[in-house]
């Protein structure tokens, strides 16, 4: 059994889709559907069963493995960078991940975990996935800190060579529609342009960056799941790895890519950034991808323009915008 926690979420459901494309449908989806629209991400995917995250936790804390687990792809977490309930993030993101990791180690199962580029904070120590340097990183929000804590725990426990913890940068693509304000700007831009013909971007508050010139490493969801599949197929590879393109692009670049994919002339309006996030705003992120390449991963990363075109024209412009296996 392959277990995907957060399996109805953005990256998790895309990973179920990828497993299906690999001919695998012996999958247990673990999530908390509640009243969200995440269930739409599961329609058309092939999997054996679904468990609520609390029920799954109860199973693994009992110490047995009724699932005959081959691997756990642990994407389940609260991914909101604005979540203020620190106790919730400690239990849901940090402690829960410890339990799942221990379960995998006890039963010889592969463990692939979602860390985050949010652990890098404002980037003052760079964006290198060198495990020796993770102690000095200073996340800017509690979400990033909850992810950082697990990486530190795994390092202290001597487990990093046995597991994989992936620092995702700015991921975009199909199946993110339920994420509300946490949706990618590409997804939001598509709606804005359809409604108004223009796109709003935040102004810059640093002289070295023009409005819309703030930079991010935008990575397409299909590349992310290709890399995770590579790690499943190469169980001897372990450690902390960045998942990005290795190239920082501006928000203006992203806007122009979306306008081009929609066959619209660019029209951008720069608006004030809320004061509540100005002090914690990242002006630059760029994944160092040397470590992943050195490990032997040959997944070719999709350019921002190609990713935006595929996302817009093959999903956002369609009546059915989801990744489907059947």
């Amino acid at each position: 059994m392959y277990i995907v926690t957060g399996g109805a979420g953005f990256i998790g459901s895309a990973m179920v889709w990828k497993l299906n494309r690999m001919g695998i449908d012996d999958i247990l989806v673990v999530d908390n559907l509640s009243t969200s629209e995440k269930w739409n991400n599961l329609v058309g995917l092939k999997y054996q069963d679904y468990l609520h995250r609390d029920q799954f936790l109860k199973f693994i804390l009992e110490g047995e493995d009724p699932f005959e687990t081959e691997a756990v792809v642990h994407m389940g977490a609260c991914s909101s960078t604005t979540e203020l309930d620190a106790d919730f993030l400690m239990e849901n993101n940090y402690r829960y991940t410890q339990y799942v990791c221990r379960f995998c180690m006890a039963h010889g199962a592969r463990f692939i975990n979602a860390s985050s580029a949010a652990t890098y904070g404002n980037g003052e120590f760079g964006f290198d996935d060198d495990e020796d340097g993770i102690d000095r990183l200073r996340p800017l929000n509690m979400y990033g800190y909850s992810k950082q804590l697990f990486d530190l725990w795994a390092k202290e426990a001597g487990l990093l060579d046995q597991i994989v913890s992936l620092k995702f940068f700015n991921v975009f693509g199909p199946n993110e529609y339920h994420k509300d304000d946490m949706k990618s700007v590409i997804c939001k831009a598509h709606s804005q342009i359809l409604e108004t013909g223009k796109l709003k971007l935040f102004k810059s508050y640093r002289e070295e960056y023009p409005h819309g010139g703030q930079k991010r490493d935008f990575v397409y969801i299909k590349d992310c799941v290709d890399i995770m599949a590579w790690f499943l197929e190469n169980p001897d590879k372990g450690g902390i790895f960045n998942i990005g393109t290795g190239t920082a692009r501006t928000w203006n670049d992203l806007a122009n890519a979306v306008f081009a994919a929609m066959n619209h002339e660019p029209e951008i309006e720069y608006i004030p950034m809320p004061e509540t996030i100005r002090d914690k705003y990242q002006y630059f992120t760029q994944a160092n991808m040397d470590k992943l390449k050195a490990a032997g991963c040959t997944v070719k990363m999709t350019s921002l323009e190609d990713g935006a075109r595929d996302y817009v024209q093959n999903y956002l412009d369609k009546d059915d915008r989801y990744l489907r296996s059947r």
Side-chain angles (χ1 to χ4, degrees):
M1 181 76 74
Y2 288 79
I3 300 174
V4 182
T5 71
F10 176 28
I11 301 178
S13 62
M15 190 60 197
V16 175
W17 170 80
K18 177 62 179 180
L19 289 170
N20 288 171
R21 288 171 66 88
M22 296 165 65
I24 299 170
D25 60 12
D26 192 14
I27 302 167
L28 174 67
V29 171
V30 175
D31 212 307
N32 175 29
L33 293 177
S34 188
T35 58
S36 75
E37 293 297 313
K38 285 191 292 184
W39 65 269
N40 284 300
N41 289 340
L42 296 176
V43 176
L45 300 182
K46 301 175 184 177
Y47 59 97
Q48 294 298 316
D49 208 347
Y50 166 87
L51 275 180
H52 187 274
R53 67 184 182 193
D54 293 343
Q55 189 175 4
F56 176 66
L57 180 61
K58 180 180 178 182
F59 273 119
I60 64 175
L61 290 179
E62 290 174 352
E64 300 298 324
D65 181 14
F67 315 107
E68 299 183 3
T69 307
E70 178 75 18
V72 175
V73 179
H74 182 52
M75 300 292 108
C78 171
S79 60
S80 174
T81 57
T82 58
E83 175 59 58
L84 299 178
D85 189 337
D87 285 327
F88 169 70
L89 290 171
M90 280 290 195
E91 290 302 315
N92 190 70
N93 289 9
Y94 170 53
R95 192 75 62 193
Y96 197 109
T97 307
Q98 279 188 330
Y99 294 142
V100 178
C101 181
R102 288 191 180 114
F103 168 78
C104 290
M105 295 300 96
H107 297 286
R110 183 67 157 151
F111 181 66
I112 297 177
N113 174 59
S115 185
S116 172
T119 59
Y120 290 117
N122 64 11
E124 61 184 320
F125 298 108
F127 299 93
D128 296 331
D129 44 7
D130 177 12
E131 291 151 16
D132 292 334
I134 62 173
D135 306 70
R136 63 183 180 179
L137 300 179
R138 298 293 181 267
L140 295 176
N141 52 57
M142 184 58 206
Y143 163 72
Y145 184 52
S146 69
K147 293 295 188 177
Q148 169 76 344
L149 282 175
F150 175 78
D151 288 342
L152 290 170
W153 173 81
K155 178 183 177 181
E156 183 67 23
L159 296 176
L160 288 181
D161 61 335
Q162 303 174 55
I163 69 172
V164 176
S165 194
L166 302 176
K167 296 197 176 193
F168 294 98
F169 279 66
N170 284 67
V171 185
F172 67 93
N175 290 23
E176 63 171 319
Y177 316 116
H178 64 282
K179 292 172 66 67
D180 297 324
D181 286 343
M182 298 305 296
K183 288 185 291 191
S184 73
V185 172
I186 289 184
C187 188
K188 294 177 181 178
H190 183 265
S191 297
Q192 283 187 35
I193 295 167
L194 283 179
E195 292 173 6
T196 68
K198 62 183 179 181
L199 173 62
K200 296 179 180 180
L201 294 177
F202 286 141
K203 292 181 177 180
S204 171
Y205 294 85
R206 292 187 183 177
E207 291 184 358
E208 64 269 34
Y209 293 93
H211 295 326
Q214 308 96 317
K215 291 185 175 182
R216 292 285 192 279
D217 193 331
F218 302 104
V219 56
Y220 197 30
I221 184 63
K222 292 182 180 180
D223 296 340
C224 296
V225 297
D226 282 349
I227 292 171
M228 288 195 286
W230 182 85
F231 276 111
L232 287 177
E233 294 171 337
N234 292 271
D236 59 314
K237 308 298 183 182
I240 295 174
F241 293 88
N242 285 335
I243 304 296
T245 64
T247 302
R249 303 292 301 276
T250 68
W251 291 109
N252 289 328
D253 290 335
L254 180 145
N256 288 328
V258 177
F259 278 113
M262 297 178 67
N263 295 312
H264 278 258
E265 287 297 318
E267 184 177 346
I268 302 172
E269 177 186 349
Y270 301 104
I271 62 174
M273 186 184 299
E275 292 187 8
T276 54
I277 66 172
R278 287 183 192 178
D279 293 339
K280 298 181 179 181
Y281 187 81
Q282 290 178 307
Y283 275 74
F284 179 89
T285 66
Q286 179 173 279
N288 184 333
M289 299 299 290
D290 291 344
K291 185 177 177 183
L292 184 64
K293 293 176 183 176
C297 182
T298 58
V299 173
K300 183 179 180 182
M301 306 309 289
T302 305
S303 71
L304 174 58
E305 286 75 13
D306 289 344
R309 185 182 307 110
D310 183 58
Y311 187 19
V312 168
Q313 297 179 0
N314 294 321
Y315 297 95
L316 293 175
D317 280 347
K318 303 293 185 181
D319 291 334
D320 187 353
R321 304 180 298 169
Y322 295 87
L323 294 166
R324 305 297 193 198
S325 299
R326 52 187 173 191

